[in-house]
Amino acid sequence: MKIKKFLKGLLIFFIVLAALAVIWIAFSLIGRIDAAKVIPDTAVIRITVPNPSRLINGLLAHESLDDISTVPELAYMSPLIESLKENPLLKNRLLHNLMGGKMELALLSDDADGSFAAAYDLKLLSPLLRLIPIASNFVTIPNLYYVQAGKNSRFEYRLDDMTVFIGPHRNVLFITNSSKVFEARLAADNEALPFKNIKISNYDAAVRLSHQFINELFSDQDPKIAEILDSLEFDSTVEAGLSIYPKKIEFYLTVPMTSNQSTLSKFLQSRSRASDINERLPGSTQYATILSAGTLRELYQAAIVFMPDMEDTLKFAESSSRIAFGLTLDELLFSWTGNEYAVFGMEGRPHPVYAIQVEDERKRQQVFDKAFSSILLNEDTRLSLDGTRLPRISIPDFLQLLLRKWDINLPSPYYTIYRDFILVSESADTLLAALRAMQRNDVLPRTNTWRNIAGGKTAATAFSVYYSMDRSMPFFLRQNTALSGYLSLYRQGLVRISFNRGVVDFSFSLIPGSGNGVTLVGGYPLDIGRASSQVFGMGNRIFFAAGNTAFSMDITDNSVYDITGQGRHWVIPAVGAGGKDAVNAWVVSDRGRVTLVDGNMDPHENFPVLTGLRISAAPVAFEGCVYLCDDDGHVIMIDTKANQKNWETVFTVPLISPPSFLSVPARGRTPGANYAAVYPKSFFGEIYLLDAQGKTLPGWPAPISTGNIKDDEFTASVGIGFGTPLVFTHNNRVLTAFVCQTGELIVYDENASSISPFPLFLNNMFYFQPVFDGTYLWLISQDGTLYRVSLEGEMLYQNIPDFVVKEVGYITFFDTNGDNIPEIFITGEGNALHAYTRNFRSLEGFPLPIWGKPYFIEAQGGKKAEVFGIGMDRKLYRWQFR
């Protein structure tokens, strides 16, 4: 009987519960309205979020969310993001299901004070809105008040410069900072306009916005875009969609537009198709720009709208072509070209490849034959690579002038024909590599990277830009703005523009990347002119020199300061000069003028100092002094008060490599000490270990080579080496290492005695001395072989392909990820910074296109580590480690 009563009671409970649920659902459905209907029609921007729960999940799972603090203009959002990620409510699945109602946000245009409105459909939770008057008795939040006014009862959140009104309207929670808008919601019957060109369910957020907003958004990025927008007419509201995935973000914009310019109107009224060259880009493509909007003639006519001087250039090219070849410009260029043009670069290839569609091959051949028969244009067909003949042509000046209007410079390019495209490049090797990839069908659309970034979108396009920021910087990210800074967090991107009968579609796909790669910081690279290959840093300043000028740049706003004098200049941080956070630098000319400057390049008191020295080696700074090597064998130290002092030791030959220094802190009763190591390059081949005052320590100098024979095939050289000895500590011992040119590596203790198992014979050619990362010695040979040598004599090595180190190069180490295990960085003769772990694994994103000595900034708080470097393109680069 008890079981029957229990079951009966349980059944009644569930029936009552079900009835209450039905009643609750009925109440939530009665009188429902679309959240969009309470938003005023006078909105400059309207954002629709179909499912806020899905949007929040996507944002919190997005890979680049933690990197937002690296963009200075967005750093203030980091605390909010951290609090959201740690909030347990946002991880509650039931709450996510209940938060599935649509949200509408709007910025209103009829108020000059920046009024906004928001509406959120609570769906099944909407009956709770009727409980607000009761809940108001229990709510005690600073600045939050409940005002009873009948149907206009609401919460008011009162701030110094604004009051936010919060109240219900049927199933919608309404929020605005305008009392007029809040009161008007009761009579609101605004039409919830449907999206015409996008399906909002496909996106995490959909946006309607005015064309004025589009103008401001894109005009700030590039002045050329601003000129284009001024000649366009927007026919209706612009629509956009945003989707956020863990490893990708997609943005889609559709704009109905026309133009009063006939040349532009023709493009806008056309319908784009998939480009042929896009299917033939090599799989190793790192960046590509494809233009397939129209013929070359049509493109130049459209360009005249924005570049009036283009018409004069065309007229000059027309007359020059007639004189030089007896051909009109139409015959020379327009008669055989199609409507697709591209430029792309491949991994490891410094020169790009240009591709032009050939519409009429027979006509092209006739034009080329006639042009090459003239005395002004030659074709060299002697080069044959891998069985393929690659002709080379010299382009006349008038055609160069025309090409430069499109930022193309091809002084003497090679070319080849592949199917219906002519491929052109300054590098024969690059051209052949592209040709072979196309012939093998090793193309970009077959790669996972392309499928990820381009998948699910139409291939029809009139203009597209594909880029990897490890190799290139698209034009729309070169401005230092908050938008460009945020977009720069994504290593790869694909931008597409297509025309569809008066509607222009923009799509933007971004991939953040992962692992130990790097991201180019927004606003970089910066054009700095011809500069030295070394970058130094201190605090929030970096220093570099260019000829007779030394520069300081504040990395917080990229403001630049300089100091100029006669002769070559060096600039190095003045370590130990001033207080703990002081930023100072030594500026030294090759004529011996020394100036201690602050971060703004203003000289300190008593500076500059004229020493009358003729500098034989680059100056170095240590413990608040700068050390100068004179061509008479002296070393002079100058302190921050402009006092000068000569080293006690005078060398018989000038030092062509500066001293290296080591500071050993006091340990127990053992006092601290400073050391300097020097190699005066001469026939005798000796290295010195001295104190910081230049007094040679007992037992020194020591030879750089033992002269011993290792085996029958190799004999060590005596007294030949390059660079500065390495002085370092290991297991509380002061050690000095040196490698001679022919590869004998020797390590001495403080008493100038060689430690076992050294010397080691590396059987290679060396121009640079080793570095010590706390555990291993690292060396790089002339042929690019990287050596890791332990102090127990264990030796491992790996060759870096196509890498040469001779007169120019550096090897250094830096801990990129805070695991206390440094990575190794090497530069050589070329424009490439290579990076390896201790286990010879190449870091993702490397090599980077810089040369010389880079400068690293350690991670601080939530800010990731960074590296600065100068490229051979005379630009200053700045990357952030992921």
Side-chain angles (χ1 to χ4, degrees):
M1 292 294 295
K2 291 182 178 180
I3 295 177
K4 288 184 178 180
K5 287 182 178 180
F6 173 76
L7 293 175
K8 183 177 180 180
L10 187 64
L11 179 62
I12 293 173
F13 172 77
F14 279 114
I15 291 174
V16 172
L17 187 64
L20 290 176
V22 171
I23 295 172
W24 184 275
I25 293 173
F27 267 104
S28 67
L29 294 176
I30 295 173
R32 289 182 57 81
I33 62 169
D34 190 328
K37 288 196 172 185
V38 294
I39 301 294
D41 296 330
T42 57
V44 64
I45 304 175
R46 293 187 63 162
I47 302 175
T48 300
V49 181
N51 189 324
S53 174
R54 186 178 69 185
L55 176 62
I56 292 174
N57 286 339
L59 280 171
L60 297 182
H62 188 56
E63 189 174 289
S64 290
L65 190 64
D66 293 334
D67 296 330
I68 198 170
S69 62
T70 63
V71 182
E73 295 87 349
L74 303 178
Y76 70 92
M77 298 177 61
S78 295
L80 174 62
I81 292 172
E82 288 300 319
S83 64
L84 290 175
K85 293 179 69 173
E86 296 174 1
N87 193 322
L89 290 177
L90 295 179
K91 301 177 182 179
N92 188 290
R93 182 172 297 181
L94 176 61
L95 182 62
H96 280 191
N97 292 332
L98 294 175
M99 289 175 59
K102 187 168 71 169
M103 179 182 293
E104 294 281 344
L105 306 167
L107 180 65
L108 307 180
S109 61
D110 59 347
D111 290 279
D113 57 354
S115 296
F116 66 86
Y120 179 43
D121 183 0
L122 270 68
K123 298 185 72 174
L124 292 179
L125 295 179
S126 59
L128 294 177
L129 294 174
R130 302 176 186 272
L131 303 179
I132 285 182
I134 300 175
S136 64
N137 297 320
F138 304 97
V139 175
T140 55
I141 298 176
N143 300 325
L144 184 68
Y145 304 91
Y146 184 73
V147 178
Q148 292 186 348
K151 292 183 177 181
N152 271 320
S153 298
R154 72 269 184 182
F155 282 104
E156 293 184 5
Y157 188 66
R158 299 170 184 172
L159 302 173
D160 293 338
D161 56 350
M162 179 176 64
T163 298
V164 179
F165 303 90
I166 308 169
H169 182 63
R170 298 187 188 180
N171 56 297
V172 172
L173 182 66
F174 189 69
I175 304 172
T176 182
N177 63 339
S178 169
S179 59
K180 183 192 304 182
V181 172
F182 184 85
E183 293 170 1
R185 83 195 190 287
L186 297 176
D189 191 18
N190 303 310
E191 182 182 359
L193 297 174
F195 282 80
K196 296 180 180 179
N197 297 310
I198 69 171
K199 188 177 181 180
I200 62 172
S201 60
N202 292 339
Y203 300 94
D204 294 324
V207 184
R208 292 191 192 93
L209 61 168
S210 67
H211 64 272
Q212 291 93 344
F213 180 81
I214 293 292
N215 278 338
E216 295 175 1
L217 179 66
F218 285 97
S219 297
D220 289 342
Q221 297 299 304
D222 194 278
K224 295 181 180 179
I225 296 180
E227 291 184 34
I228 295 175
L229 292 175
D230 288 340
S231 63
L232 299 175
E233 297 175 0
F234 296 83
D235 295 340
S236 62
T237 304
V238 177
E239 298 176 359
L242 175 69
S243 294
I244 301 174
Y245 306 94
K247 293 184 178 295
K248 183 170 67 169
I249 185 170
E250 291 184 344
F251 180 74
Y252 180 73
L253 185 71
T254 176
V255 186
M257 65 171 67
T258 58
S259 175
N260 53 13
Q261 301 286 342
S262 59
T263 52
L264 293 182
S265 180
K266 182 177 181 179
F267 288 127
L268 296 175
Q269 295 301 320
S270 65
R271 187 166 188 171
S272 301
R273 60 178 181 83
S275 74
D276 295 331
I277 191 60
N278 197 69
E279 303 174 22
R280 301 174 189 178
L281 294 176
S284 60
T285 297
Q286 291 288 312
Y287 61 88
T289 300
I290 301 174
L291 183 59
S292 55
T295 65
L296 194 58
R297 181 189 293 105
E298 292 170 340
L299 293 174
Y300 273 113
Q301 288 174 347
I304 293 175
V305 176
F306 311 109
M307 295 184 291
D309 61 329
M310 175 67 75
E311 190 167 8
D312 293 334
T313 303
L314 284 171
K315 290 180 180 179
F316 174 74
E318 173 77 23
S319 60
S320 300
S321 178
R322 289 177 181 272
I323 295 172
F325 309 123
L327 296 170
T328 65
L329 197 60
D330 183 272
E331 294 171 327
L332 183 65
L333 292 178
F334 303 152
S335 63
W336 56 271
T337 54
N339 61 356
E340 290 191 28
Y341 313 90
V343 55
F344 59 89
M346 297 183 294
E347 185 176 3
R349 306 285 179 175
H351 296 285
V353 176
Y354 298 89
I356 303 174
Q357 188 178 46
V358 179
E359 183 73 20
D360 188 336
E361 171 58 21
R362 187 173 63 176
K363 184 65 175 178
R364 183 205 65 81
Q365 188 63 60
Q366 292 174 353
V367 170
F368 275 42
D369 289 343
K370 188 170 184 179
F372 290 138
S373 65
S374 71
I375 61 174
L376 295 179
L377 194 63
N378 297 317
E379 182 182 35
D380 186 350
T381 60
R382 293 174 295 177
L383 179 63
S384 179
L385 289 180
D386 194 21
T388 301
R389 190 165 299 280
L390 298 175
R392 190 174 193 178
I393 59 177
S394 59
I395 297 180
D397 291 341
F398 74 89
L399 280 183
Q400 287 282 16
L401 179 63
L402 195 60
L403 290 174
R404 275 195 286 269
K405 291 295 182 178
W406 302 94
D407 294 327
I408 298 174
N409 183 30
L410 293 173
S412 296
Y414 297 90
Y415 79 93
T416 188
I417 304 295
Y418 177 70
R419 295 189 178 177
D420 56 340
F421 280 89
I422 179 172
L423 307 177
V424 185
S425 178
E426 290 185 65
S427 168
D429 291 335
T430 301
L431 185 60
L432 182 62
L435 177 63
R436 289 289 184 258
M438 293 179 184
Q439 291 172 338
R440 294 191 307 266
N441 200 35
D442 177 15
V443 291
L444 187 64
R446 298 184 63 182
T447 64
N448 291 331
T449 299
W450 180 262
R451 291 168 182 168
N452 183 25
I453 200 170
K457 301 297 180 183
T458 177
T461 178
F463 175 77
S464 67
V465 176
Y466 167 70
Y467 65 88
S468 173
M469 293 231 300
D470 293 338
R471 299 295 178 196
S472 64
M473 172 65 76
F475 67 90
F476 48 84
L477 296 185
R478 292 174 186 165
Q479 301 297 319
N480 192 15
T481 64
L483 177 61
S484 63
Y486 177 73
L487 295 179
S488 296
L489 299 177
Y490 299 84
R491 291 177 53 204
Q492 292 177 312
L494 175 63
V495 183
R496 284 175 168 174
I497 301 175
S498 60
F499 303 132
N500 187 12
R501 308 298 189 202
V503 177
V504 181
D505 296 325
F506 300 80
S507 67
F508 208 161
S509 298
L510 301 165
I511 297 177
S514 59
N516 295 325
V518 289
T519 299
L520 194 62
V521 174
Y524 287 80
L526 302 176
D527 288 313
I528 58 174
R530 186 180 296 277
S532 64
S533 62
Q534 300 186 62
V535 181
F536 300 93
M538 191 176 190
N540 62 349
R541 300 297 177 106
I542 65 168
F543 303 98
F544 55 91
N548 63 354
T549 305
F551 295 91
S552 165
M553 190 182 82
D554 188 335
I555 62 176
T556 60
D557 59 8
N558 293 344
S559 56
V560 177
Y561 307 86
D562 64 74
I563 185 171
T564 302
Q566 293 183 343
R568 178 188 177 188
H569 277 56
W570 292 274
V571 55
I572 48 177
V575 180
K580 178 181 177 182
D581 298 323
V583 176
N584 297 296
W586 296 103
V587 178
V588 182
S589 75
D590 57 4
R591 302 183 183 186
R593 172 180 290 192
V594 179
T595 309
L596 179 63
V597 297
D598 61 17
N600 294 339
M601 287 295 174
D602 293 326
H604 282 243
E605 186 179 1
N606 300 327
F607 289 92
V609 171
L610 302 180
T611 66
L613 304 179
R614 288 189 293 185
I615 307 299
S616 62
V620 290
F622 178 71
E623 295 291 327
C625 294
V626 63
Y627 293 78
L628 310 179
C629 303
D630 193 11
D631 67 355
D632 64 358
H634 284 84
V635 176
I636 295 88
M637 45 190 280
I638 301 176
D639 63 20
T640 56
K641 296 182 179 180
N643 298 316
Q644 302 182 43
K645 183 178 180 180
N646 284 13
W647 264 11
E648 292 186 19
T649 301
V650 180
F651 304 100
T652 57
V653 295
L655 297 182
I656 61 175
S657 296
S660 64
F661 292 91
L662 172 69
S663 179
V664 178
R667 191 177 289 109
R669 294 184 178 181
T670 304
N674 294 327
Y675 297 87
V678 173
Y679 169 54
K681 187 176 180 181
S682 67
F683 173 78
F684 298 103
E686 294 177 322
I687 57 177
Y688 288 72
L689 188 65
L690 316 97
D691 62 21
Q693 304 303 313
K695 181 180 179 180
T696 303
L697 298 182
W700 296 84
I704 68 170
S705 172
T706 62
N708 295 330
I709 299 175
K710 180 192 175 192
D711 51 43
D712 293 338
E713 299 179 357
F714 178 75
T715 302
S717 176
V718 180
I720 300 176
F722 296 87
T724 302
L726 169 69
V727 55
F728 63 103
T729 59
H730 183 255
N731 292 337
N732 298 324
R733 292 193 300 173
V734 175
L735 304 175
T736 304
F738 194 90
V739 62
C740 66
Q741 184 181 16
T742 49
E744 183 180 358
L745 174 63
I746 193 165
V747 179
Y748 290 104
D749 64 14
E750 192 172 353
N751 299 316
S753 297
S754 176
I755 68 171
S756 179
F758 296 90
L760 295 178
F761 297 88
L762 307 186
N763 197 16
N764 215 321
M765 299 289 289
F766 292 86
Y767 289 87
F768 293 95
Q769 294 304 312
V771 299
F772 184 66
D773 70 355
T775 302
Y776 299 103
L777 291 167
W778 292 87
L779 304 94
I780 186 74
S781 67
Q782 177 188 358
D783 65 356
T785 301
L786 179 64
Y787 292 83
R788 190 192 79 180
V789 181
S790 73
L791 293 178
E792 290 74 35
E794 179 191 19
M795 181 173 61
L796 296 176
Y797 59 88
Q798 175 176 303
N799 183 260
I800 305 174
D802 303 320
F803 191 70
V804 177
V805 182
K806 193 174 181 181
E807 296 180 0
V808 178
Y810 292 89
I811 177 171
T812 186
F813 59 88
F814 178 75
D815 181 11
T816 64
N817 52 16
D819 62 356
N820 296 320
I821 301 177
E823 286 73 38
I824 311 302
F825 298 84
I826 313 104
T827 59
E829 299 291 321
N831 193 43
L833 172 66
H834 293 261
Y836 292 89
T837 66
R838 275 183 174 174
N839 297 320
F840 293 96
R841 180 179 59 83
S842 178
L843 296 193
E844 184 178 348
F846 286 81
L848 297 178
I850 59 177
W851 69 308
K853 184 176 183 179
Y855 169 64
F856 298 90
I857 296 180
E858 295 182 352
Q860 298 178 357
K863 191 175 179 62
K864 304 283 184 72
E866 295 183 341
V867 56
F868 287 80
I870 295 175
M872 286 185 173
D873 57 1
R874 304 180 184 178
K875 294 180 180 179
L876 175 67
Y877 289 84
R878 179 184 182 182
W879 283 274
Q880 186 172 83
F881 290 93
R882 299 191 60 81

